[in-house]
Amino acid sequence: CDDGSCDLFSCLVDIEVTKVVDVAELLIGEEATFTITATNEGPGAATNVSVSDLLPTNLMYVSHTTTVGFYNPGSGQWSIGSMNAGQTETLIVVTTPTAEGTYENIAQVITTDQNDIDSTPGNNDATEDDQANAIITVGVGPLPGCTNPVACNYDATATVDDGSCEL
């Protein structure tokens, strides 16, 4: 906007990101679906908008859908392109955890050609409205086996008796 093509106010944008997950606790192998929304609160139109949503280690990518642009699961970059003031776009990413633990999945705006009114793209500042996270906790689930400690084939790791105990 320093070329005189518009006034300063119309060259400012406010790209906000929100993120939710459909299930906060799940077992290894079950699916978790993350929904990321990016909204241009204006007042100006934004160009070259992209959001980073790289999956943490042990969250395996399954699939995704976008309302606009394209998502690269390898790099985690969602290239949105242009957004008019008031426009909202959505990325939905389906994952499957491969190990137990607690995982934080972070999305944040990493580029826009215009200055953002209240945040700086790509600075990893969780207090800004251009970054959001969702946390899931993954358990291992029931492990079948012999749970009787006096049986000769007792399995100390088993959590559900499968009827195989040999006394």
Side-chain angles (χ1 to χ4, degrees), residues 71-148:
Y71 175 70
N72 179 329
S75 68
Q77 184 167 332
W78 174 27
S79 298
I80 297 172
S82 298
M83 295 182 76
N84 292 322
Q87 183 175 346
T88 298
E89 300 299 344
T90 304
L91 166 65
I92 298 172
V93 180
V94 180
T95 66
T96 300
T98 59
E100 82 177 298
T102 299
Y103 301 99
E104 179 181 28
N105 188 357
I106 300 170
Q108 79 167 312
V109 175
I110 54 173
T111 64
T112 182
D113 288 338
Q114 293 69 32
N115 289 327
D116 193 296
I117 291 172
D118 59 5
S119 56
T120 302
N123 68 346
N124 198 28
D125 185 342
T127 65
E128 295 181 350
D129 66 0
D130 71 340
Q131 181 171 321
N133 72 327
I135 297 173
I136 62 170
T137 301
V138 180
V140 294
L143 297 172
C146 176
T147 60
N148 186 338

Side-chain angles (χ1 to χ4, degrees), residues 27-47:
L27 301 176
I28 294 172
E30 295 179 338
E31 290 186 348
T33 301
F34 294 93
T35 302
I36 302 94
T37 58
T39 302
N40 181 3
E41 296 292 341
T47 56

Side-chain angles (χ1 to χ4, degrees), residues 14-75:
D14 184 11
I15 309 297
E16 296 181 0
V17 172
T18 62
K19 180 174 206 153
V20 295
V21 63
D22 67 335
V23 58
E25 295 181 3
L26 66 160
L27 301 176
I28 294 172
E30 295 179 338
E31 290 186 348
T33 301
F34 294 93
T35 302
I36 302 94
T37 58
T39 302
N40 181 3
E41 296 292 341
T47 56
N48 193 32
V49 177
S50 63
V51 173
S52 173
D53 186 49
L54 185 61
L55 295 175
T57 302
N58 296 324
L59 284 188
M60 184 176 68
Y61 168 83
V62 175
S63 65
H64 75 274
T65 57
T66 63
T67 55
V68 69
F70 62 92
Y71 175 70
N72 179 329
S75 68

